[in-house]
Amino acid sequence: MLKSNSFVRKTKKGKVLKVVRERYLRDDIGCGDIQCTKCDSTLAKLNGSSTQYLIIDTNIVLHQMDMLEHCSVNDVIVPSVVREEVKKRNLSLYNRLRTLCTCETRRFYVFSNEFHQETYVEQEQGESINDRNDRAIRVACRWYQRHLPDKQILLLTNDADNMKKAKQEGLQVQTALAFAAEQNISELLDLVVRPSDGDDDETGGGERPSKRRPPIYKDHKSLTELQLGMREGRYHQGTLRVNRYDPSRAAVSCESVGFDVYLKDHIDMNRGVDGDRVVLELYPEEQWVTEETRLPTEETDLVTEDENTGVAELAPDAGEEGYGIGAAGGTRRVTGYVVGIVKRAWRPYSGSLDLKSVRGGKAATVDVLFCAHNRSIPRVKIRTRQLETLKDQRIVVVIDSWSVFSRWPEGHYTKTLGKGGDKQTETEVLLVENDIKTQPFSEAVYACLPPLPWDLAAEEAKKPERADLRHILVCSVDPPGCTDIDDALHCTTLGNGNYELGVHIADVTHFVHPGTAVDLEASDRCTSVYLVDRRIDMLPKALTEDLCSLRSNVDRLAFSVLWEMTPEGDVLPEKTRYTKSVIRSSAALTYAEAQARIDDERLLDDISVSLRRMLMLTKKIRAKRMAAGALTLASPEVKFQVDTETHNPTDVGVYQIRETNQMVEEMMLLANCTVAAKILDSFPLWAVLRRHPTPSPQMFEPILRAAAAVDVQLDTSSSKALADTLDLAERPSDPYFNKMIRILTTRCMTQAQYGCSGQMTTAEFHHYGLAAPLYTHFTSPIRRYADVLVHRFLEAAIGLTRLPPVLTDKDSVKELSDQLNYRHHNAQMAGRASTELHTLIFFKDRVVTSDARVIKVKENGMVVFVPKFGIEAMVYLNPKGVEEKAFELNMETQKITNAAEDLSYQIFDKVFVQISVAEVPPHGRKLMLKLVEESEVPVAGA
């Protein structure tokens, strides 16, 4: 049977097209029951011995996917109309549904109701597409009832209208909650998303909170109102960033305002969660607040009982009185409040249950607050029957809704990560928190790789587009233990007195072709993630450690950039070459080994001489870069020594930077800048570039105030002026002072970002930190997908291939860039979290005293940085049980003083702290820092 319909649509260019779609209806589509004698059972997945089959609607998939993924839910019929509707509305959920339907161990069957003669329905006059789809699902249910009369066909829906009509038509129907309750599985019931608006009645018929108490928050304005307000300049849009130390405070960076807008409490945040895209309205200037002058107080028991309703609610966050109009010495901040939310950033959150917040419910069900590991996330109210099982576990919770009547959002439990405090569990926590992909590579990915052992085919080496450079002395210089070697270097003398300098990068795109399973997986992960005790690869190890790794004494494929350079370090642009190549590295050196060869002038072998030439040239390149205004920034990097058996840290110290580190860095920077210019020249609308925005004057205010307080003048008028004044920022009594200034200066800047050249202005190409007009990432394709894309651009730019279609559309390249930025940021955060975790493990059974630097002062304490261990933490001047000392804060001099006890602390002062670890429920272990006198510091060797 043939059905057809036609409609007109308008293209992006304004043309009107008539579209005719034909649908062939069949009578041989099976029901999916493996024991059905009427249908072909070749593709059947439903267990014929089951007495009940479930049919789900779109609402269930969109809101109850965690429940559907539970192993107890099987024999599920997914109408094709549901699958297609989910695909249009939420691609992430569609992929999860598709995984369920294709998994051999799960009994989920896709019934092609849209192509079945007896179940296809046409949209009626005046009927919405959603109502038509719901009717199609009910028609499928009736067909199954007739087709399998010995089975109970149960429609699962939370849509009230669909449920009402199903009951009128004589269908068996249940809500997700009712179905889960009948299964009598506590974990399954916890996975159900409950009714919103604070409805506590499991049957859905409870009294609305509005009849019991007034709302806490204001309703969010509609999208139309928000857009109108932004056009009129009344509203401003930006991303909400909640203070991790004091989650009652937040800020929103609004381009239309020009600087951060502060939100002084949870009421002004109006149900916004860290990362949400929100719309603000500013308070009148007379209501702007002053800068907070106190550190946030320790967390207290925030749970109270509403005397009138008996409903567990929570008191406002402690310490809210810290903001005040016109407080002495405070700096006034532009202040506003959230009026609407454009896009939610909700995701799965890991953390623990706050057992002090438990409130009884029906039967064994209790309400309890979940505390996310990330303290900038609000507590989440969940309902569970597994309190005894989950009370000491790290769990994952998803936010479902946030009513105007509830102080906290409501959510549901999804899975358990493990016992709190266990190293493996805490590592899982940081991976979940940063959305790091850890699943094993699929068989489809491995099928894209050549079999091992792999040897370079002779015909590949002889291809005219691939230069044979195996005669050139090439070596790699990397950190110790590096197995994913993606770059190698060479430097040779030319007959005219110049030098040939070369960077050779692993030719990953020879093995990773566009659109293949391995390419799609890499584009999803975007980057390798480096934790203290492990590496989570972007690509399979067969590629990262064998096929693409530029190991010594083996032939490997590379993408090479070759320069001719004068002895003064000037590149001759017309002599620059780009080529696919074959290389054979002569040595895989560590930074220390390369430095030892350079420093030992008795060594005159070819590798040592080449390294010395390379260092000489890169020093001149670096000097030119610094003269152009490039910044030498700093970050508190530390390196752990890890036990080979337990993988626990045995020692920790500051990462040592050698001349060879800077040598390799300069070579990589030169390659990236050169390639950026080449691909932009060839593809001005599509090139992937890496830009670092110039900070606004307001962004530098914190470091300028801090430096001025200790009589250091920084000039931020240009990167060159800043670089020069940073070089002069010295304190003879403190050799670490200059690095501390650089660390705090770095924090005033935004991170560098990937972007599409066609969606940026020429001025936006600029990389502020490097003082480079153009920059990209080309040199690490084994561990960064951005570099894979740039390799494809460069390959097309030199005429070796054509660009894949996805790289010839600005919008597609923009989407790829956004994904790269997201994954890169998450990988950085995961690496820092791993460092923090191993720091906790290192100090678990130790009490250590060390010097520290004051980086922020407040009335009741200060924030200090411990250089040796890379620790930043708050130090209170009023420990529990000790009467608060009377300190006065001078914001201008960044100094706190207690005249009675002749005590004073100023920003950048050197102090001594005692570091230990304490248990702080429900989050677990926490580093505790306490000020000590210098006389209390143990003498080395004593």
Side-chain angles (χ1 to χ4, degrees):
M1 184 184 295
L2 176 65
K3 294 280 186 180
S4 65
N5 68 312
S6 62
F7 58 92
V8 294
R9 70 177 181 87
K10 197 173 184 180
T11 67
K12 290 182 178 179
K13 295 183 178 180
K15 293 183 179 180
V16 177
L17 299 178
K18 182 178 180 180
V19 180
V20 179
R21 288 184 177 168
E22 297 182 334
R23 186 186 303 269
Y24 292 88
L25 302 184
R26 299 165 49 182
D27 60 3
D28 60 345
I29 294 175
C31 66
D33 187 326
I34 61 175
Q35 294 183 0
C36 181
T37 58
K38 308 171 191 175
C39 303
D40 181 6
S41 61
T42 305
L43 301 176
K45 295 187 70 175
L46 305 176
N47 186 353
S49 60
S50 297
T51 59
Q52 183 187 75
Y53 289 160
L54 305 178
I55 294 183
I56 56 177
D57 71 354
T58 306
N59 179 284
I60 292 293
V61 179
L62 292 177
H63 299 102
Q64 307 293 344
M65 181 56 74
D66 290 321
M67 184 195 77
L68 293 178
E69 289 176 330
H70 191 267
C71 59
S72 68
V73 180
N74 273 302
D75 295 315
V76 178
I77 299 164
V78 183
S80 57
V81 66
V82 170
R83 186 181 64 172
E84 294 309 309
E85 192 173 358
V86 171
K87 185 177 183 179
K88 292 176 184 177
R89 295 176 63 176
N90 191 314
L91 191 57
S92 174
L93 287 176
Y94 168 76
N95 289 331
R96 291 168 67 182
L97 178 64
R98 186 178 61 177
T99 299
L100 282 175
C101 294
T102 56
C103 179
E104 294 182 1
T105 60
R106 301 300 299 276
R107 300 194 298 276
F108 277 66
Y109 176 70
V110 178
F111 175 57
S112 300
N113 67 302
E114 294 288 80
F115 297 92
H116 197 292
Q117 277 189 10
E118 297 184 48
T119 59
Y120 173 75
V121 300
E122 293 187 356
Q123 189 173 357
E124 297 176 347
Q125 186 73 26
E127 185 180 37
S128 71
I129 187 63
N130 287 336
D131 288 343
R132 179 264 169 199
N133 291 344
D134 286 344
R135 184 162 59 87
I137 296 167
R138 297 195 300 273
V139 168
C141 287
R142 289 200 299 273
W143 181 84
Y144 265 96
Q145 284 182 337
R146 295 192 304 271
H147 187 74
L148 301 172
D150 58 330
K151 304 290 185 185
Q152 181 190 29
I153 307 301
L154 180 63
L155 172 61
L156 280 190
T157 180
N158 281 352
D159 184 287
D161 185 61
N162 196 19
M163 176 174 286
K164 178 181 177 181
K165 291 177 180 178
K167 288 179 179 179
Q168 290 173 348
E169 295 171 14
L171 300 177
Q172 295 188 60
V173 60
Q174 272 188 340
T175 65
L177 188 59
F179 168 76
E182 281 189 358
Q183 308 310 304
N184 199 27
I185 301 174
S186 296
E187 185 177 350
L188 181 64
L189 196 57
D190 283 1
L191 295 173
V192 176
V193 177
R194 310 272 171 165
S196 59
D197 288 331
D199 192 333
D200 290 330
D201 191 304
E202 291 193 6
T203 64
E207 182 184 29
R208 285 178 58 83
S210 57
K211 296 180 181 180
R212 301 180 302 193
R213 61 181 182 274
I216 299 172
Y217 301 102
K218 294 181 179 179
D219 286 325
H220 292 144
K221 296 188 180 298
S222 68
L223 183 59
T224 302
E225 291 177 290
L226 296 178
Q227 290 173 338
L228 178 62
M230 286 188 284
R231 283 198 298 269
E232 294 176 347
R234 292 183 291 112
Y235 298 157
H236 309 274
Q237 186 177 172
T239 300
L240 182 68
R241 303 191 318 275
V242 179
N243 189 318
R244 61 177 295 193
Y245 296 112
D246 185 1
S248 66
R249 314 276 183 255
V252 178
S253 181
C254 300
E255 291 185 8
S256 56
V257 177
F259 37 82
D260 284 355
V261 177
Y262 283 76
L263 311 180
K264 65 181 183 298
D265 54 33
H266 69 90
I267 298 297
D268 284 349
M269 283 188 254
N270 195 10
R271 294 171 288 150
V273 173
D274 187 58
D276 284 352
R277 191 75 179 169
V278 301
V279 176
L280 302 172
E281 183 170 7
L282 303 185
Y283 279 114
E285 187 171 350
E286 61 269 15
Q287 294 183 36
W288 290 359
V289 299
T290 56
E291 183 178 1
E292 173 61 86
T293 59
R294 297 175 62 83
L295 292 176
T297 56
E298 295 288 340
E299 285 189 317
T300 57
D301 181 10
L302 301 180
V303 182
T304 64
E305 190 77 18
D306 188 305
E307 295 179 357
N308 297 321
T309 65
V311 177
E313 285 298 327
L314 296 173
D317 293 326
E320 285 188 349
E321 72 282 359
Y323 278 110
I325 307 298
T331 303
R332 293 176 65 80
R333 301 291 189 183
V334 177
T335 312
Y337 56 97
V338 172
V339 295
I341 296 179
V342 177
K343 185 178 181 181
R344 284 291 192 186
W346 293 352
R347 57 174 176 80
Y349 300 106
S350 58
S352 307
L353 297 180
D354 182 0
L355 299 181
K356 295 180 180 179
S357 68
V358 175
R359 293 293 182 270
K362 294 184 178 180
T365 304
V366 297
D367 291 327
V368 62
L369 289 180
F370 163 83
C371 298
H373 177 78
N374 180 352
R375 300 190 186 200
S376 61
I377 303 302
R379 299 186 177 201
V380 182
K381 187 166 67 175
I382 69 169
R383 183 169 295 176
T384 180
R385 291 188 175 187
Q386 305 180 81
L387 184 64
E388 284 302 311
T389 303
L390 302 180
K391 63 182 182 181
D392 60 349
Q393 303 290 305
R394 296 284 188 256
I395 65 173
V396 177
V397 161
V398 172
I399 296 176
D400 302 325
S401 61
W402 197 340
S403 166
V404 294
F405 303 100
S406 175
R407 171 67 178 87
W408 307 107
E410 296 186 10
H412 69 276
Y413 157 91
T414 62
K415 66 178 178 179
T416 300
L417 299 177
K419 186 175 177 61
D422 178 75
K423 179 186 171 184
Q424 184 61 36
T425 298
E426 300 301 340
T427 301
E428 283 295 316
V429 167
L430 70 89
L431 294 173
V432 169
E433 278 301 302
N434 293 287
D435 192 18
I436 304 298
K437 302 286 185 181
T438 59
Q439 68 271 23
F441 291 102
S442 67
E443 291 299 324
V445 169
Y446 286 114
C448 298
L449 310 182
L452 297 178
W454 175 84
D455 291 313
L456 177 65
E459 55 270 22
E460 180 65 35
K462 293 179 181 178
K463 286 184 177 180
E465 65 268 22
R466 192 175 289 279
D468 191 340
L469 303 181
R470 286 176 286 187
H471 62 285
I472 295 178
L473 183 72
V474 170
C475 68
S476 61
V477 184
D478 291 284
C482 181
T483 55
D484 53 340
I485 304 173
D486 47 18
D487 59 82
L489 317 167
H490 90 266
C491 182
T492 57
T493 55
L494 300 175
N496 60 4
N498 290 340
Y499 296 93
E500 181 181 80
L501 209 60
V503 165
H504 312 273
I505 307 300
D507 189 5
V508 172
T509 55
H510 177 80
F511 301 98
V512 180
H513 302 292
T516 58
V518 66
D519 180 57
L520 294 175
E521 184 67 27
S523 68
D524 187 25
R525 300 187 182 216
C526 288
T527 181
S528 294
V529 180
Y530 291 85
L531 307 182
V532 170
D533 58 344
R534 75 177 80 169
R535 184 185 76 218
I536 301 169
D537 290 316
M538 179 184 78
L539 294 167
K541 276 188 167 49
L543 282 173
T544 62
E545 297 186 0
D546 193 339
L547 298 171
C548 295
S549 186
L550 305 181
R551 298 179 297 164
S552 60
N553 301 315
V554 291
D555 294 340
R556 284 293 177 260
L557 302 177
F559 210 150
S560 301
V561 182
L562 309 170
W563 304 275
E564 183 172 333
M565 189 173 292
T566 67
E568 291 73 36
D570 295 319
V571 174
L572 304 180
E574 68 278 5
K575 299 291 185 69
T576 301
R577 289 190 294 148
Y578 311 88
T579 180
K580 289 289 186 88
S581 61
V582 182
I583 66 168
R584 187 179 181 87
S585 176
S586 298
L589 305 174
T590 65
Y591 291 119
E593 290 169 344
Q595 191 68 55
R597 282 176 174 268
I598 292 172
D599 294 342
D600 190 346
E601 297 182 358
R602 298 169 299 176
L603 296 177
L604 299 176
D605 58 280
D606 292 341
I607 293 178
S608 300
V609 171
S610 175
L611 288 170
R612 290 192 193 102
R613 289 196 206 106
M614 210 179 299
L615 180 60
M616 177 268 294
L617 289 172
T618 54
K619 281 184 175 180
K620 294 179 179 179
I621 296 171
R622 185 178 182 84
K624 294 176 188 293
R625 205 164 55 79
M626 294 302 161
L631 296 170
T632 302
L633 301 175
S635 59
E637 293 185 10
V638 295
K639 184 173 181 59
F640 287 93
Q641 291 183 10
V642 179
D643 185 274
T644 54
E645 293 184 4
T646 65
H647 298 290
N648 286 335
T650 58
D651 197 7
V652 60
V654 178
Y655 190 82
Q656 185 177 357
I657 301 296
R658 298 178 172 85
E659 284 187 325
T660 46
N661 292 76
Q662 295 181 340
M663 177 186 77
V664 174
E665 179 187 18
E666 290 304 320
M667 296 279 278
M668 299 303 111
L669 292 176
L670 180 60
N672 288 333
C673 290
T674 305
V675 169
K678 179 66 176 178
I679 65 172
L680 182 65
D681 181 63
S682 301
F683 307 107
L685 296 180
W686 309 320
V688 172
L689 300 178
R690 188 157 175 84
R691 60 184 290 260
H692 186 211
T694 301
S696 65
Q698 291 85 359
M699 294 170 68
F700 280 121
E701 280 185 7
I703 186 60
L704 290 176
R705 283 189 293 159
V710 292
D711 296 324
V712 171
Q713 300 303 315
L714 297 180
D715 184 350
T716 60
S717 59
S718 68
S719 61
K720 170 64 175 170
L722 179 58
D724 291 342
T725 51
L726 280 172
D727 289 341
L728 299 174
E730 298 283 354
R731 255 188 181 177
S733 60
D734 187 358
Y736 197 79
F737 176 76
N738 185 263
K739 184 170 184 179
M740 200 71 252
I741 285 277
R742 292 181 190 274
I743 289 174
L744 296 184
T745 302
T746 304
R747 294 182 180 184
C748 295
M749 305 175 191
T750 58
Q751 287 191 327
Q753 299 259 301
Y754 297 106
C756 173
S757 59
Q759 296 196 337
M760 295 187 286
T761 64
T762 302
E764 289 177 323
F765 295 164
H766 184 71
H767 195 292
Y768 177 80
L770 298 175
L774 291 173
Y775 191 67
T776 193
H777 272 161
F778 164 76
T779 54
S780 295
I782 286 178
R783 62 183 181 90
R784 287 189 309 229
Y785 191 69
D787 305 59
V788 173
L789 298 178
V790 170
H791 276 230
R792 289 174 182 158
F793 277 113
L794 184 59
E795 195 172 353
I798 62 177
L800 298 184
T801 188
R802 293 175 63 87
L803 277 179
V806 71
L807 296 183
T808 60
D809 177 77
K810 287 190 292 186
D811 292 335
S812 297
V813 176
K814 171 66 165 55
E815 288 180 10
L816 280 170
S817 299
D818 290 343
Q819 171 78 345
L820 293 171
N821 292 328
Y822 173 74
R823 292 292 184 198
H824 178 73
H825 173 77
N826 286 4
Q828 284 187 313
M829 294 300 102
R832 293 177 190 174
S834 181
T835 298
E836 292 175 3
L837 171 60
H838 283 76
T839 302
L840 279 172
I841 295 172
F842 178 76
F843 283 103
K844 184 168 75 76
D845 299 316
R846 294 179 171 91
V847 176
V848 178
T849 302
S850 179
D851 63 288
R853 302 300 184 280
V854 177
I855 60 174
K856 188 179 293 184
V857 290
K858 299 291 182 180
E859 290 175 353
N860 59 334
M862 47 196 162
V863 180
V864 301
F865 177 76
V866 185
K868 181 177 180 181
F869 303 111
I871 295 170
E872 181 180 329
M874 293 181 289
V875 176
Y876 290 92
L877 296 174
N878 57 321
K880 287 185 178 180
V882 179
E883 186 176 349
E884 183 170 345
K885 300 177 182 179
F887 280 88
E888 292 184 2
L889 171 63
N890 187 320
M891 295 292 288
E892 184 177 347
T893 62
Q894 300 279 291
K895 190 174 186 178
I896 50 176
T897 306
N898 184 329
E901 298 191 21
D902 194 24
L903 287 174
S904 66
Y905 302 99
Q906 188 177 25
I907 193 166
F908 298 117
D909 274 0
K910 181 177 180 179
V911 296
F912 292 89
V913 293
Q914 186 183 84
I915 309 167
S916 60
V917 173
E919 291 290 336
V920 183
H923 295 288
R925 291 193 293 264
K926 178 182 176 181
L927 275 180
M928 306 296 288
L929 271 64
K930 183 178 73 171
L931 279 179
V932 296
E933 300 294 333
E934 186 173 0
S935 58
E936 300 177 52
V937 179
V939 179

